[in-house]
């Protein structure tokens, strides 16, 4: 029964595999996967990497690729010709791509195509005895699949049955969690909710932290407005920054899985509530290749958890740093030019689109800029934040998401300002601080980065929801950026 949870997990997401033909098609075109020898050698080293691929899946992806080739052809004298030999070669490349996507990198993990919601569900269920789900939305919410797992008597990583409780989102809803803690000694509890639901839990979070209850909160930062438009609602999570809970952030499905594991281990180690949050609009919708830690390995990891020994809230930062290091993460992670004078700083939950824009700007526009991702927002370490900055930093642009303007006083900006003012930086070497804000950063493009850097030289506030950052990008620019990762062919009729 110990592995039943994983097998059920696989069955539930078989359809996701077919929904991801575009992902595989993109991989085939980019050629970003090992050749046959690499795959075969990996399989010979570890029998767990063997993947059975149905002909239907190969045919579905091949058809998708052919469809894209047809779409690239224009009317008139242009026709697309794919002969039998080319079709066989294409199917072979498709199969190799799928093998790469599903190849297991370790005997302690299984690779699947899932989104952040599914990855977090898997970890939360495996490391919990009781799970409270606060839907917030009719469908597509965090924890949606867990009631069916519990109804099927799927067991967690320790071989125990899991109780899944669906709750309504309202004021005082977290009292049910407090009641369960009082009635269930030494039980591992987790809460799955949206950032909207978390707002109503803040008073109870103070009580959980004061009582040193190691409850783990997995939060999809997402809200729905009156027009039923979904948007990332990160500021609602930051409203819990002074509750005494530890705040960790992730940006994609793989990070969501890994940081979810870290959150559970950390909560048990320091005896404090931990809030793990990610972008509920992007990360929870994008299907990616994720290496899921097996329930056997999760059980092994949980046995090495350090028992709480009156660890203070401030001291919990070092514990978090050590556990993150075990998974190759840091509280503050810098990427970009080593000699960058302008550094963008944002939470990991808001990093994905900005990171891609910065990377493309560096590749195609020779922009010398870096991005510092904040993974551990609470507790905050001014020393580690400053140490993560390049020595060449002259300007720090703090990117903050919010429904309204913070007037320079966003939570992340305030922490950074205090670190610069009181941290170990000489007065004449303190970088200039700039606040840049928008509802979200999904519209930020590589071509916007040079403008952002230029404005940061003389502005103290940048509205990313105004021009030139809202100007649409031309197809020619997009084609230029993608030119190294795509191929196309046109076959002409000769009559």
């Amino acid at each position: 029964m110990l592995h039943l949870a994983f097998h059920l997990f696989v069955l539930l997401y078989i359809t996701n595999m077919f929904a991801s033909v575009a992902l595989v098609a993109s991989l085939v075109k980019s050629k970003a996967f090992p050749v046959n020898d690499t795959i075969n050698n990996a399989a010979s080293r570890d029998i767990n990497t063997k993947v059975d691929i149905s002909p239907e899946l190969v045919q579905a992806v091949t058809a998708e690729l052919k469809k894209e080739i047809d779409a690239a052809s224009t009317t008139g004298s242009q026709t697309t010709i794919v002969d039998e030999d080319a079709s066989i070669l294409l199917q072979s490349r498709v199969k190799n791509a799928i093998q790469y996507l599903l190849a297991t990198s370790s005997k302690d993990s299984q690779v699947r195509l899932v989104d952040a919601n599914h990855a977090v569900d898997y970890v939360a269920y495996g490391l919990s005895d009781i799970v409270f789900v606060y839907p917030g939305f009719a469908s597509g919410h965090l924890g949606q699949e867990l009631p069916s797992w519990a109804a099927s008597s799927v067991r967690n990583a320790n071989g125990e049955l899991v109780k899944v409780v669906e709750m309504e989102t309202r004021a005082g809803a977290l009292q049910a969690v407090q009641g369960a803690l009082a009635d269930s000694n030494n039980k591992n509890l987790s809460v799955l909710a949206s950032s909207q639901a978390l707002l109503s839990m803040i008073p109870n979070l103070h009580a959980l932290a004061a009582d040193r209850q190691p409850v783990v909160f997995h939060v999809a930062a997402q809200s729905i407005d009156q027009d039923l438009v979904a948007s990332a609602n990160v500021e609602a999570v930051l409203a819990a920054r002074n509750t005494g809970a530890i705040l960790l952030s992730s940006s994609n499905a793989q990070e969501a899985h890994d940081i979810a594991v870290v959150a559970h281990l950390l909560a048990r180690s320091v005896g404090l509530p931990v809030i793990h949050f990610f972008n509920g609009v992007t990360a929870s919708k994008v299907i990616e290749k994720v290496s899921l830690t097996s329930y056997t390995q999760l059980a092994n990891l949980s046995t090495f958890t350090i028992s709480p020994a009156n660890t203070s809230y401030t001291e919990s930062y070092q514990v978090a740093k050590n556990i993150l290091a075990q998974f190759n993460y840091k509280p503050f992670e810098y990427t970009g030019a080593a000699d960058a004078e302008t550094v963008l700083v944002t939470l990991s939950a808001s990093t994905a689109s900005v990171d891609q824009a910065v990377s493309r700007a560096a590749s195609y526009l020779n922009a010398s800029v870096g991005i510092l991702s904040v993974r551990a927002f609470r507790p905050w370490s001014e020393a580690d934040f400053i140490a993560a900055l390049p020595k060449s930093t002259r300007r720090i642009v703090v990117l903050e998401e919010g429904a309204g303007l913070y007037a320079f006083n966003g939570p992340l900006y305030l922490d950074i300002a205090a670190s610069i003012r009181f941290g170990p930086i000489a007065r004449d070497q303190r970088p200039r601080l700039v606040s840049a804000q928008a509802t979200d950063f999904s519209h930020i493009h590589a071509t916007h980065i040079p403008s952002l850097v230029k404005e940061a030289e003389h502005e103290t506030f940048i509205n990313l929801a105004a021009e030139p950052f809202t100007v649409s990008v031309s197809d020619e620019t997009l084609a230029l950026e993608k030119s190294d990762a795509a191929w196309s062919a046109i076959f002409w009729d000769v009559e």
Side-chain angles (χ1 to χ4, degrees):
M1 290 296 290
L2 191 60
H3 299 289
L4 180 58
F6 194 88
H7 294 311
L8 180 60
F9 182 81
V10 174
L11 292 174
L12 287 172
Y13 302 121
I14 285 293
T15 54
N16 281 346
M17 189 180 297
F18 286 92
S20 302
V21 291
L23 172 63
V24 181
S26 175
L27 186 64
V28 171
K29 290 189 293 183
S30 69
K31 304 179 183 179
F33 56 89
V35 296
N36 286 337
D37 290 341
T38 305
I39 296 174
N40 291 336
N41 289 339
S44 65
R45 289 192 300 269
D46 186 355
I47 61 172
N48 289 328
T49 58
K50 183 178 179 181
V51 179
D52 293 326
I53 302 172
S54 69
E56 291 79 9
L57 178 58
V58 176
Q59 292 171 7
V61 179
T62 304
E64 183 75 16
L65 282 166
K66 290 181 178 178
K67 198 181 300 179
E68 291 192 16
I69 295 174
D70 291 339
S73 299
T74 59
T75 58
S77 62
Q78 296 182 6
T79 59
T80 302
I81 303 174
V82 181
D83 58 26
E84 184 177 356
D85 290 339
S87 180
I88 293 174
L89 177 61
L90 183 60
Q91 289 190 34
S92 175
R93 289 183 58 80
V94 166
K95 187 172 182 179
N96 289 343
I98 298 173
Q99 282 181 314
Y100 168 67
L101 282 170
L102 301 182
T104 303
S105 58
S106 167
K107 65 181 181 180
D108 294 325
S109 65
Q110 298 287 340
V111 173
R112 294 293 180 266
L113 296 179
V114 297
D115 57 33
N117 277 2
H118 299 150
V120 171
D121 285 352
Y122 173 78
V123 173
Y125 193 91
L127 293 176
S128 303
D129 298 304
I130 305 175
V131 181
F132 287 85
V133 179
Y134 294 81
F137 314 109
S139 62
H141 58 81
L142 194 59
Q144 181 173 342
E145 305 294 340
L146 298 192
S148 63
W149 294 10
S152 300
S153 298
V154 176
R155 297 179 181 270
N156 62 16
N158 295 317
E160 302 292 337
L161 292 175
V162 179
K163 183 178 181 180
V164 178
V165 184
E166 292 186 273
M167 302 290 296
E168 293 182 0
T169 301
R170 54 181 175 76
L174 206 59
Q175 291 177 355
V177 175
Q178 293 176 289
L181 288 168
D183 295 336
S184 306
N185 294 326
N186 299 321
K187 293 291 185 180
N188 298 311
L189 271 69
S190 60
V191 175
L192 305 182
S194 67
S195 53
Q196 274 184 320
L198 186 69
L199 278 174
S200 63
M201 302 176 185
I202 289 179
N204 303 91
L205 271 169
H206 284 279
L208 290 178
D211 294 338
R212 301 188 66 90
Q213 297 288 359
V215 181
V216 178
F217 293 77
H218 297 289
V219 180
Q222 179 182 8
S223 63
I224 305 293
D225 62 20
Q226 59 185 6
D227 296 323
L228 300 181
V229 177
S231 61
N233 191 16
V234 176
E235 71 269 26
V237 181
L238 302 189
R241 65 189 180 277
N242 295 325
T243 60
I246 298 170
L247 268 66
L248 302 177
S249 180
S250 57
S251 65
N252 55 45
Q254 183 63 65
E255 287 189 7
H257 166 275
D258 297 343
I259 303 304
V261 177
V262 170
H264 283 270
L265 299 181
L266 179 58
R268 297 177 192 178
S269 295
V270 299
L272 289 170
V274 177
I275 300 175
H276 161 228
F277 64 101
F278 57 92
N279 191 313
V281 177
T282 56
S284 63
K285 301 298 185 294
V286 178
I287 297 175
E288 304 176 40
K289 175 185 177 181
V290 177
S291 179
L292 300 171
T293 304
S294 69
Y295 273 10
T296 300
Q297 181 62 9
L298 285 180
N300 292 336
L301 287 172
S302 62
T303 59
F304 290 102
T305 302
I306 303 172
S307 300
N310 297 322
T311 304
S312 69
Y313 184 68
T314 303
E315 293 170 341
S316 67
Y317 174 81
Q318 188 59 46
V319 180
K321 184 177 179 179
N322 293 339
I323 296 178
L324 283 169
Q326 296 177 24
F327 293 82
N328 298 317
Y329 292 104
K330 299 177 181 179
F332 301 94
E333 299 170 350
Y334 177 82
T335 56
D339 58 349
E341 294 189 353
T342 301
V343 176
L344 312 181
V345 182
T346 184
L347 296 168
S348 292
S350 308
T351 298
S353 58
V354 181
D355 188 43
Q356 185 181 57
V358 169
S359 177
R360 289 179 172 180
S363 299
Y364 301 103
L365 305 175
N366 296 320
S368 181
V369 63
I371 181 168
L372 182 61
S373 176
V374 179
R375 188 169 305 284
F377 183 61
R378 283 293 183 274
W380 178 270
S381 172
E382 65 181 31
D384 281 0
F385 169 75
I386 293 172
L389 293 170
K391 300 297 183 182
S392 56
T393 304
R394 294 294 175 266
R395 291 169 295 278
I396 295 178
V397 181
V398 185
L399 305 178
E400 294 189 287
E401 291 180 324
L405 299 183
Y406 288 116
F408 308 103
N409 293 323
L412 182 58
Y413 181 92
L414 291 176
D415 284 344
I416 293 174
S419 298
I420 298 301
R421 174 64 180 82
F422 302 106
I425 300 181
R427 188 181 183 88
D428 59 344
Q429 295 181 350
R430 292 174 184 170
R432 188 169 183 272
L433 286 184
V434 181
S435 176
Q437 300 166 14
T439 303
D440 63 68
F441 304 133
S442 59
H443 65 289
I444 298 299
H445 192 267
T447 54
H448 297 145
I449 300 302
S451 299
L452 181 58
V453 172
K454 185 176 181 180
E455 287 199 25
E457 294 177 357
H458 55 82
E459 299 288 347
T460 56
F461 174 79
I462 300 175
N463 185 2
L464 297 178
E467 292 186 359
F469 307 105
T470 56
V471 177
S472 59
V473 181
S474 66
D475 292 339
E476 290 77 8
T477 304
L478 288 172
L480 175 64
E481 288 186 13
K482 297 178 180 177
S483 60
D484 69 332
W487 58 266
S488 60
I490 299 177
F491 299 87
W492 293 84
D493 241 350
V494 179
E495 294 182 353

